Amino acid sequence: MSKRHEADKTARPLSEAELRRMLLATQQELVTRIREGRGGLREGAVQLAQTSLGDLADRPVLTPEAEMGYEVVDRRAHILAQIELALKKLEDGSYGRCETCEEPIPAARLRALPFAIRCTRCQEAWELRVRRTGGAPVAADLQTVE
């Protein structure tokens, strides 16, 4: 057994209170950063509209910086949805089980990524499927917060 797998087996699980505190703190930080990011993107769009003269077709749609900004905000929003799902799972008692194989997610993984929905092995397989389909997740792989 590798040292990594041994560490996964021996890591102390977080208590429900610790998990909730960690998830809520991360959630609040993400909400703040998303608001700041969206505000910056709006300001950039206003500046672009004010400084761009000439034909509408000649205006750039998005600057590389704005495009990256939108990607960062989208990624943060995705993580926020995962946190909300983890909080829901804490409430219904299903937290810490892999969505794919239904085995417990190792405590070390949950410490590092408390909103993980898959064990490392299933997550790697999922990412491989996503890459093979051109970056688009298969509909059955998407998780939604209801």
Side-chain angles (χ1 to χ4, degrees):
M1 183 180 287
S2 72
K3 287 184 181 182
R4 183 175 180 188
H5 288 292
E6 287 175 23
D8 283 352
K9 302 283 186 202
T10 61
R12 180 185 66 82
L14 295 169
S15 71
E16 187 173 324
E18 289 173 308
L19 283 167
R20 188 175 311 285
R21 216 176 7 260
M22 186 184 300
L23 288 165
L24 291 172
T26 304
Q27 181 184 46
Q28 185 58 47
E29 181 182 335
L30 283 170
V31 167
T32 300
R33 288 183 176 205
I34 288 170
R35 285 184 182 142
E36 290 169 355
R38 286 183 178 159
L41 292 171
R42 270 193 298 277
E43 288 174 16
V46 168
Q47 288 176 351
L48 180 64
Q50 291 172 344
T51 59
S52 293
L53 302 173
D55 192 0
L56 190 58
D58 293 335
R59 292 184 187 177
V61 176
L62 282 179
T63 64
E65 294 82 15
E67 191 171 324
M68 182 178 281
Y70 279 110
E71 289 177 18
V72 168
V73 168
D74 284 348
R75 178 70 181 138
R76 288 178 178 159
H78 177 72
I79 293 171
L80 187 58
Q82 288 179 307
I83 289 170
E84 290 169 4
L85 180 62
L87 289 167
K88 180 182 171 198
K89 287 174 171 275
L90 270 175
E91 291 298 319
D92 70 19
S94 63
Y95 179 83
R97 288 234 169 251
C98 177
E99 292 282 318
T100 305
C101 69
E102 298 182 3
E103 292 295 318
I105 298 172
R109 178 161 171 76
L110 291 174
R111 277 186 166 284
L113 198 65
F115 48 85
I117 60 171
R118 294 179 194 86
C119 65
T120 304
R121 183 175 44 100
C122 291
Q123 182 66 31
E124 288 170 353
W126 180 84
E127 289 173 4
L128 182 60
R129 275 196 315 275
V130 168
R131 281 194 299 274
R132 286 183 180 159
T133 60
V138 179
D141 290 329
L142 297 175
Q143 295 294 319
T144 59
V145 178
E146 297 175 9

